[in-house]
Amino acid sequence: QLQLAESGGGLVKPGGSLRLSCAASGSFFSTYIMGWYRQAPGKEREFLASILGSGKTTYANAVKDRFTISRDNAKKTVELQMFNMRAEDTAVYYCHARPDSGGRPDSRNYWGQGTQVTVSS
């Protein structure tokens, strides 16, 4: 089992920056693929970024030039650094984890409770 807790959300002005953090509790954190998603009212949950235990990252095209994902396996934390934020970035942001199964089927998924990010002047 893995429990995730996001923090760092809040109000930010357009063009500003914000750093989100996700703290994980549980064993073998480095074996999980970690990610960030967001969901705005009336929209589907949207993938933003993921990072392997090795540090290899993947980004959605919509945010690849503005967001940076990182992880600290010793501290069992994942961060999302967001730059040049826009009004359309307003959403609830979720931390996500899934086991790195090496291509084999594994249905386990873990989600944090979400943290609200609002971009407004």
Side-chain angles (χ1 to χ4, degrees):
Q1 286 289 95
L2 200 68
Q3 293 184 332
L4 307 174
E6 304 96 334
S7 62
L11 179 65
V12 63
K13 295 180 179 180
S17 63
L18 197 66
R19 181 185 290 267
L20 305 181
S21 295
C22 173
S25 61
S27 300
F28 306 110
F29 173 78
S30 64
T31 70
Y32 288 86
I33 301 172
M34 304 300 299
W36 286 96
Y37 291 71
R38 69 186 180 190
Q39 188 166 19
K43 298 187 67 177
E44 299 294 322
R45 191 163 296 186
E46 175 188 12
F47 168 78
L48 299 175
S50 66
I51 184 167
L52 307 185
S54 65
K56 179 178 174 61
T57 59
T58 301
Y59 295 94
N61 288 334
V63 303
K64 64 180 180 181
D65 296 325
R66 299 185 297 116
F67 292 8
T68 301
I69 189 172
S70 60
R71 68 190 292 163
D72 187 327
N73 289 331
K75 296 180 179 179
K76 298 195 289 186
T77 59
V78 183
E79 294 186 340
L80 185 69
Q81 180 67 59
M82 302 181 289
F83 302 95
N84 192 25
M85 299 192 70
R86 309 163 181 167
E88 53 263 41
D89 293 324
T90 297
V92 177
Y93 284 68
Y94 295 92
C95 183
H96 173 261
R98 64 179 173 93
D100 188 342
S101 60
R104 289 171 164 75
D106 195 325
S107 63
R108 290 176 291 172
N109 285 275
Y110 304 94
W111 294 94
Q113 81 287 351
T115 184
Q116 177 71 48
V117 173
T118 302
V119 184
S120 176
S121 59

